[in-house]
Amino acid sequence: MVLEIAVKAAVGAPDILGDCPFSQRALLTLEEKKIPYKSHLINLSDKPQWFLEVNPEGKVPVVKFDDKWVSDSDVIVGILEEKYPEPSLATPPEFASVGSKIFPSFVKFLKSKDPNDGTEQDLLEELKALDDHLKAHGPFIAGEKITAVDLSLAPKLYHLEVALAHFKNWTIPDKLTHVLNYIKLLFSRESFEKTKAAKEHIIAGWEPKVNA
């Protein structure tokens, strides 16, 4: 059975996969579990009627389970784990929140206009905490095997890398070797290559927020 998933289309390019990290997380889960699926690319500035009828909130991603469209990537990933337990991507509960503050810290730093407001330092501290965790437990967050927490973090780290390089000429410091190795491992996976947005679409997605 082929699952249907609706994900964000690129801004200005409705036939190309867009820059939503939550959509990519759901797609990564489908790819890693080798679940056959069909994608619907949704132009978020001109949402199709059928999409709003099945999903009045108009959010992405949404996946169709048993004739019902389900939103929220946390919920989607949970249902996929339940319905398709093999291969297991369940993250041990004690590791489930590792790295969870990186994305909000990145967004604050990206939007910051004041170099002394502490947002860069906050992000560096979160990345350092991830580096320490990976040093003790790596190469992935829960050890040798990739799990759901990695698939949630991978798209966010990709946004961080692309957007900060473009808008702030900023890169993750070389001394965070475990984080850099982790990123390399994640980004080189076939599932990631197949589901990532093009860099220019990520930049275009952040542009209005950065210049707000």
Side-chain angles (χ1 to χ4, degrees), residues 41-199:
L41 297 175
I42 305 297
N43 177 352
L44 292 186
S45 53
D46 182 18
K47 294 169 186 167
Q49 191 55 39
W50 74 264
F51 175 69
L52 290 170
E53 281 169 14
V54 299
N55 176 30
E57 284 189 345
K59 288 182 176 165
V60 288
V62 285
V63 174
K64 190 178 187 181
F65 293 110
D66 307 324
D67 290 337
K68 183 171 177 276
W69 288 88
V70 176
S71 63
D72 187 320
S73 63
D74 281 337
V75 176
I76 290 166
V77 166
I79 295 173
L80 289 173
E81 191 59 49
E82 211 173 281
K83 284 183 175 286
Y84 304 89
E86 294 299 324
S88 169
L89 293 172
T91 303
E94 65 272 25
F95 295 146
S97 62
V98 172
S100 62
K101 293 189 184 139
I102 289 174
F103 194 65
S105 304
F106 144 66
V107 175
K108 282 188 188 134
F109 175 44
L110 180 64
K111 292 179 172 179
S112 157
K113 306 276 191 278
D114 173 7
N116 301 313
D117 64 2
T119 54
E120 180 181 8
Q121 202 42 49
D122 287 348
L123 176 60
L124 283 168
E125 278 171 24
E126 293 303 331
L127 289 168
K128 171 79 171 68
L130 177 61
D131 198 79
D132 290 345
H133 176 89
L134 292 166
K135 184 179 180 181
H137 300 281
F140 295 108
I141 284 176
E144 291 298 321
K145 212 166 112 324
I146 200 163
T147 66
V149 68
D150 303 299
L151 302 183
S152 173
L153 210 44
K156 295 170 181 174
L157 289 168
Y158 182 53
H159 276 248
L160 179 156
E161 194 175 83
V162 172
L164 291 178
H166 178 81
F167 293 106
K168 291 204 181 277
N169 200 17
W170 190 94
T171 52
I172 294 172
D174 289 344
K175 66 174 189 282
L176 298 178
T177 50
H178 299 88
V179 169
L180 292 170
N181 180 54
Y182 176 63
I183 286 174
K184 209 177 277 169
L185 275 178
L186 293 172
F187 293 4
S188 64
R189 288 180 87 83
E190 189 190 345
S191 60
F192 193 89
E193 284 291 331
K194 279 175 78 172
T195 59
K196 70 177 183 182
K199 287 185 177 177

